[in-house]
């Protein structure tokens, strides 16, 4: 059974029936003291109603997970704890790695898998991403599977094929029950950390392609439950444009999530 941690007061989007999810990917930023401060500030600036429309997950570096777990639990904050990565094996001789069962013990709900920075700098292949998806589900957590084309691939007109390949490889082995629980982040690689996001039409097209992969394998009922995020230079000024799209159910936010006030404005948008 995958952990379901939806806040009792969280309301699904009436248009789609899906729960919105906005995630802060802090990347390699904030030591544990800074992480506590940022989380406290975010909790301070958000209004109670902000949690009713959107689930919010925070993905700090590994060293911040335990302090944030304690903070969230003790102050009854309505954040879901997330990780940025995990190893696909449950334990063993993998120096420097952290496994899915270790994250699960820290009450982690979501694990980002296959972020483009990991594919690029740490040579994660589609096969590794697939193994991590399996490991995350095996430990009763939910993967946020990152997919997206590079600038060159877009220029060559390969966006659709790349998205189909990345998504299908990551999820094809899943049962329909697990497939519908996936979160996929469509993150065009050229839009990450650049300050220049995709335009909403491109984001919708990418998200629709992601959903179509689930539909081809498992049919409409499963595909209509999968949550899809857009990621890539989201900020308070453009967040609402993405959240209105038919196939976009949330956002994966990097740079703008490092400032609690700006992340709160994204949630409120
Ligand atoms: C990310 O790293 O997932 C991301 C979307 O970063 P940014 O918001 O900085 O583009």
């Amino acid at each position: 059974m995958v952990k379901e941690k939806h806040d009792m007061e969280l309301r699904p989007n009436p248009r789609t029936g899906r729960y919105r999810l906005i995630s802060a990917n802090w990347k390699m930023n904030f030591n544990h003291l800074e992480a506590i401060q940022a989380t406290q500030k975010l909790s301070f600036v958000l209004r109670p109603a902000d949690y009713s429309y959107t689930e919010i997950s925070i993905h700090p570096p590994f060293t911040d997970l335990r302090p944030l777990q304690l903070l969230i639990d003790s102050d009854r904050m309505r954040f879901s704890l997330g990780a940025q990565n995990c190893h696909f094996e449950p334990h063993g001789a993998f120096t420097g790695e952290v496994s899915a069962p270790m994250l699960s013990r820290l009450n982690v709900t979501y694990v980002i898998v296959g972020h483009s920075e990991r594919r690029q700098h740490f040579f994660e292949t589609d096969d590794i991403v697939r193994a991590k998806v399996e490991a995350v589900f095996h430990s009763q957590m939910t993967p946020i599977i990152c997919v997206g084309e590079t600038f060159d691939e877009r220029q060559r007109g390969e966006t659709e094929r790349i998205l189909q390949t990345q998504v299908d490889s990551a999820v094809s082995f899943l049962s329909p029950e697990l497939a519908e629980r996936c979160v996929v982040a469509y993150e065009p690689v050229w839009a990450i950390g650049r300050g220049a996001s995709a335009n909403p039409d491109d984001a919708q097209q990418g998200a629709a392609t992601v959903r179509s992969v689930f539909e081809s394998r498992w049919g409409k009922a499963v595909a209509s439950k999968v949550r899809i995020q857009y990621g890539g230079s989201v900020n308070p000024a453009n967040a609402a444009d993405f959240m209105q799209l038919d196939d976009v159910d949330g956002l994966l936010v990097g740079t703008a999530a490092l400032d609690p006030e700006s992340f709160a404005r994204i949630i409120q948008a």
Side-chain angles (χ1 to χ4, degrees):
M1 256 296 279
V2 174
K3 269 182 262 174
E4 277 290 300
K5 223 190 131 191
H6 293 311
D7 197 308
M8 295 294 283
E9 290 165 42
L10 184 65
R11 295 183 216 142
N13 181 342
R15 194 164 46 83
T16 63
R18 297 185 288 267
Y19 290 97
R20 302 175 186 89
L21 173 65
I22 298 188
S23 305
N25 176 14
W26 285 351
K27 312 193 186 191
M28 197 172 69
N29 294 290
F30 294 164
N31 64 40
H32 74 284
L33 298 173
E34 294 162 336
I36 289 170
Q37 241 179 8
T39 305
Q40 283 172 325
K41 184 154 185 198
L42 180 63
S43 161
F44 181 75
V45 290
L46 286 173
R47 304 166 302 215
D50 297 332
Y51 300 92
S52 306
Y53 297 99
T54 316
E55 182 179 2
I56 301 159
S57 67
I58 300 176
H59 300 247
F62 286 136
T63 52
D64 304 348
L65 283 170
R66 176 65 172 157
L68 285 201
Q69 179 211 0
L70 293 174
L71 176 70
I72 289 170
D73 282 358
S74 65
D75 287 12
R76 295 177 192 276
M77 290 177 176
R78 291 159 73 183
F79 300 130
S80 297
L81 193 56
Q84 300 174 15
N85 180 35
C86 69
H87 197 271
F88 50 82
E89 291 291 349
H91 48 75
F94 299 99
T95 302
E97 292 293 319
V98 171
S99 73
M102 293 170 185
L103 298 176
S104 186
R105 284 289 285 151
L106 287 167
N107 284 351
V108 165
T109 305
Y110 296 100
V111 184
I112 297 172
V113 170
H115 191 281
S116 63
E117 286 154 15
R118 296 212 56 87
R119 292 180 193 256
Q120 188 186 342
H121 303 306
F122 302 96
F123 315 109
E124 283 193 8
T125 60
D126 285 345
D127 286 346
I128 293 175
V129 173
R130 174 192 182 90
K132 290 186 178 192
V133 169
E134 189 172 9
V136 169
F137 273 130
H138 195 73
S139 287
Q140 290 79 46
M141 299 177 291
T142 298
I144 297 181
I145 305 162
C146 296
V147 297
E149 80 287 1
T150 63
F151 181 76
D152 288 347
E153 287 161 348
R154 172 162 282 263
Q155 292 296 97
R156 291 197 296 265
E158 293 174 358
T159 301
E160 196 175 338
R161 185 184 62 78
I162 294 288
L163 293 182
Q164 285 166 342
T165 306
Q166 289 181 345
V167 176
D168 201 50
S169 161
V171 302
S172 59
F173 67 99
L174 295 173
S175 65
E177 291 73 27
L178 289 182
E180 68 183 34
R181 289 171 184 272
C182 286
V183 178
V184 180
Y186 170 49
E187 298 207 300
V189 179
W190 46 272
I192 295 179
R194 298 274 151 80
S197 65
N199 69 48
D201 287 347
D202 290 338
Q204 166 55 29
Q205 206 173 336
T209 301
V210 169
R211 200 175 299 289
S212 73
V213 175
F214 285 85
E215 186 170 342
S216 333
R217 279 214 174 259
W218 293 285
K220 248 193 172 33
V222 166
S224 69
K225 294 203 176 115
V226 173
R227 290 181 293 167
I228 300 174
Q229 297 178 312
Y230 167 76
S233 299
V234 171
N235 59 45
N238 64 21
D241 296 339
F242 296 114
M243 289 302 287
Q244 282 163 16
L245 299 171
D246 285 349
D247 283 297
V248 171
D249 308 297
L251 304 166
L252 181 54
V253 188
T255 312
L258 292 174
D259 172 8
E261 283 182 12
S262 114
F263 189 52
R265 289 207 305 279
I266 288 171
I267 293 161
Q268 289 159 351

